Amino acid sequence: MAAAGSCRAKAPRGAAGRRRPRAAVLGAERRSRAAAVRPVDEEVSSDSEPESPSLGRRRRREAAVEEEVEETPQEKKLRLAKLYLEELRQHEEEQAAAEEEEEETHPADLIGDRLKEDVLEQKGRLQRLVAKDVQPPDPASIRVLRGHQLPVTCLVISPDDRFIFSASKDGSLIKWEVESGKRLCVVPGGKKGTEERHMGHASHVLCMAISSDGKYLATGDRNKLIMVWDTATCKRLHIFTGHRDAVSGLSFRKGTHQLYSASHDRCVKVWNVAENAYMETLFGHQDIITGLDSLSRECCVTAGGRDGTVRLWKIPEESQLVFYGHQGSIDCIQLINEEHMVSGADDGSVALWGLAKKKPLALARQAHGMQDAQGLQQPYWISAVAALRNSDLLATGVGQLLWSKGLGVQGVCPAPAPAPAPAPGWGAWQSPLSTLGSHSASVKLWKCSEGFRKLEPLWAIPLV
């Protein structure tokens, strides 16, 4: 007889009268409860049957969530690195297929080359060797687009190579379509003193720059004004004032909306275009600033005209490096990469600089030859330089020059020239040309030797 008040039931005996283990009893009870809850007509698949696709996807998602929750920082870094390498592999394979390269290249080699390029570009030392593949353009492919009433002073190409913006001494601004050569938008110049009522400039436009995302266009004029425009609509968004003389140089910091401006008042100013804000002013040049350029680092370079200096401005440190090398007025400057730059002067020389040395790495004197001026032999002066970024290819002339990956060196509104064979790992790009002109009636192309230690002339593009 069981003891009174006891709640514990005896474990049932088996067929031979032995007691069954408690775990087996509990398992049987669970199975019986599950069977009671399960609908009668539900199919129960065996372990050997394949699971449904939806169930499999759900299980994989749950497993991924659990894995992400349990992932350590080291495991996350490893996973992201693998994803990055996989994206690089896919990108390089697609590029290799598009270019229909004759020789098969192993994906691992392409990934390694791309990683090396990324590292060198971040360090500012990347130099793609493309000059050897450049061919002179067919003169018949060069066309001139007309629309300004006075000489063109500056121009830029949109980051997607679809549009050209040009400005002139008549104060006008024109947006051109590269493909067709059509004028998409014209902002005419006005009279002095009408800037508030008139949308455009009322004096000579001397410089312009476009942001790396193609959203903003900035233009500077002789009336000390900087105007900011919406590139899509050509609508003026803001006017920056603060310079005490003509604005002679503009450059957007790559990847940002930070704008650098240079002026004949000998100073450099920093602006935040997205917030319509002035940030700071930098002093140091002893003569008018004639040129300015910048890349992705928080710094810019300037040419100081008759003070004979090129300067690198380090914005966060509020410091500057001073470089000497030209004998005449330094009229133009451009960065090749984050560590090297090229400049030109009215003594006819072209200088190649490394930011680690105060003297030029290479200097080409009388780069465009000599001219007979009133019985005196004088060198043709250089007022424009252009560099294909992160490469060994440069261009010099008198007028406005700039490089575009898709179009080459551009003047006011030239038509694209036929593309030469692409350099390995670089992609298609086209021969350089210009229509803005040169005192020596040509634009000259140069090859920088590996390491930026020598300038070698390639050939000239005649403009007449």
Side-chain angles (χ1 to χ4, degrees):
M1 183 175 178
S6 175
C7 298
R8 180 177 297 173
K10 291 183 179 180
R13 295 178 180 274
R18 295 187 300 275
R19 291 181 182 275
R20 295 171 62 187
R22 180 170 178 77
V25 174
L26 294 175
E29 291 175 355
R30 291 193 188 97
R31 286 193 294 273
S32 64
R33 286 197 299 270
V37 174
R38 185 185 301 120
V40 176
D41 60 348
E42 181 184 29
E43 292 186 6
V44 180
S45 60
S46 67
D47 294 339
S48 61
E49 292 177 344
E51 63 181 11
S52 66
S54 60
L55 181 60
R57 287 194 295 271
R58 185 170 69 252
R59 287 181 177 177
R60 285 194 294 272
R61 286 198 298 269
E62 292 172 355
V65 170
E66 292 178 2
E67 182 180 354
E68 185 175 352
V69 171
E70 298 174 359
E71 191 176 43
T72 65
Q74 291 78 11
E75 291 171 340
K76 184 175 182 181
K77 289 181 180 178
L78 180 60
R79 178 172 59 82
L80 293 176
K82 289 180 178 179
L83 286 174
Y84 177 62
L85 289 175
E86 178 63 19
E87 289 175 359
L88 285 180
R89 184 186 67 78
Q90 293 178 359
H91 174 75
E92 296 296 349
E93 285 181 345
E94 292 172 1
Q95 186 178 18
E99 294 173 357
E100 298 180 353
E101 294 181 353
E102 296 179 359
E103 297 181 1
E104 293 184 4
T105 308
H106 195 276
D109 296 334
L110 293 172
I111 293 172
D113 292 342
R114 178 64 179 272
L115 288 172
K116 288 178 183 177
E117 282 197 357
D118 287 349
V119 172
L120 288 173
E121 187 169 6
Q122 290 174 3
K123 292 183 177 179
R125 300 173 184 171
L126 179 59
Q127 185 186 26
R128 295 187 180 96
L129 305 180
V130 300
K132 64 182 184 301
D133 299 311
V134 175
Q135 300 296 325
D138 179 4
S141 69
I142 301 176
R143 55 178 173 163
V144 178
L145 304 184
R146 305 183 186 278
H148 294 286
Q149 302 302 313
L150 292 177
V152 176
T153 54
C154 51
L155 72 161
V156 293
I157 301 174
S158 62
D160 59 7
D161 293 335
R162 294 177 56 202
F163 308 108
I164 295 175
F165 296 87
S166 62
S168 167
K169 283 187 175 182
D170 60 18
S172 64
L173 173 68
I174 299 180
K175 178 181 178 179
W176 311 80
E177 185 179 53
V178 172
E179 185 72 23
S180 63
K182 293 180 179 178
R183 282 179 284 178
L184 301 180
C185 180
V186 178
V187 181
K191 295 182 179 180
K192 187 174 181 179
T194 64
E195 290 86 356
E196 293 300 327
R197 303 188 304 275
H198 177 72
M199 188 171 70
H201 289 274
S203 65
H204 299 177
V205 183
L206 302 181
C207 54
M208 62 167 49
I210 192 169
S211 59
S212 55
D213 62 359
K215 184 177 181 180
Y216 296 113
L217 177 74
T219 53
D221 66 19
R222 191 174 288 279
N223 278 353
K224 318 168 193 176
L225 300 178
I226 300 171
M227 295 189 182
V228 179
W229 309 80
D230 182 292
T231 56
T233 62
C234 292
K235 179 183 178 182
R236 192 181 72 192
L237 302 176
H238 191 68
I239 298 178
F240 287 126
T241 59
H243 280 295
R244 293 175 286 109
D245 207 336
V247 181
S248 55
L250 291 168
S251 179
F252 278 95
R253 181 185 170 197
K254 185 179 178 181
T256 75
H257 293 146
Q258 184 171 310
L259 176 68
Y260 304 111
S261 64
S263 169
H264 290 179
D265 63 11
R266 308 179 185 183
C267 73
V268 174
K269 290 185 183 291
V270 186
W271 315 83
N272 186 323
V273 170
E275 299 180 5
N276 295 334
Y278 159 78
M279 298 177 66
E280 61 182 306
T281 302
L282 310 172
F283 299 93
H285 277 292
Q286 304 302 309
D287 194 24
I288 65 172
I289 301 176
T290 55
L292 176 147
D293 195 24
S294 67
L295 283 176
S296 56
R297 292 181 183 174
E298 200 169 353
C299 61
C300 63
V301 294
T302 53
R306 290 289 172 189
D307 75 2
T309 67
V310 166
R311 296 180 187 241
L312 170 70
W313 305 82
K314 298 182 178 181
I315 311 300
E317 295 89 343
E318 297 183 355
S319 64
Q320 56 186 290
L321 299 178
V322 184
F323 302 84
Y324 297 91
H326 291 286
Q327 300 300 315
S329 173
I330 308 174
D331 289 344
C332 50
I333 190 165
Q334 190 174 35
L335 285 161
I336 303 171
N337 57 29
E338 298 283 7
E339 294 290 331
H340 298 87
M341 55 189 172
V342 60
S343 61
D346 67 359
D347 62 1
S349 63
V350 176
L352 194 59
W353 309 82
L355 300 187
K357 291 189 66 175
K358 298 297 183 70
K359 298 292 183 181
L361 300 176
L363 185 67
R365 302 184 186 277
Q366 302 175 14
H368 279 246
M370 302 290 288
Q371 63 173 321
D372 188 358
Q374 298 179 348
L376 297 175
Q377 287 291 314
Q378 294 182 348
Y380 286 108
W381 50 280
I382 310 298
S383 68
V385 293
L388 184 60
R389 303 286 194 190
N390 299 311
S391 81
D392 62 343
L393 193 57
L394 306 176
T396 59
V398 175
Q400 182 76 16
L401 299 174
L402 64 150
W403 274 104
S404 166
K405 181 180 176 182
L407 300 176
V409 171
Q410 295 296 322
V412 180
C413 297
W426 174 234
W429 55 282
Q430 296 182 315
S431 298
L433 58 120
S434 172
T435 57
L436 264 181
S438 166
H439 198 187
S440 58
S442 68
V443 172
K444 201 166 186 179
L445 266 70
W446 304 80
K447 174 185 175 182
C448 300
S449 64
E450 208 165 343
F452 299 95
R453 295 289 176 178
K454 188 178 179 182
L455 275 172
E456 303 173 11
L458 293 176
W459 34 264
I461 305 172
L463 301 179
V464 293

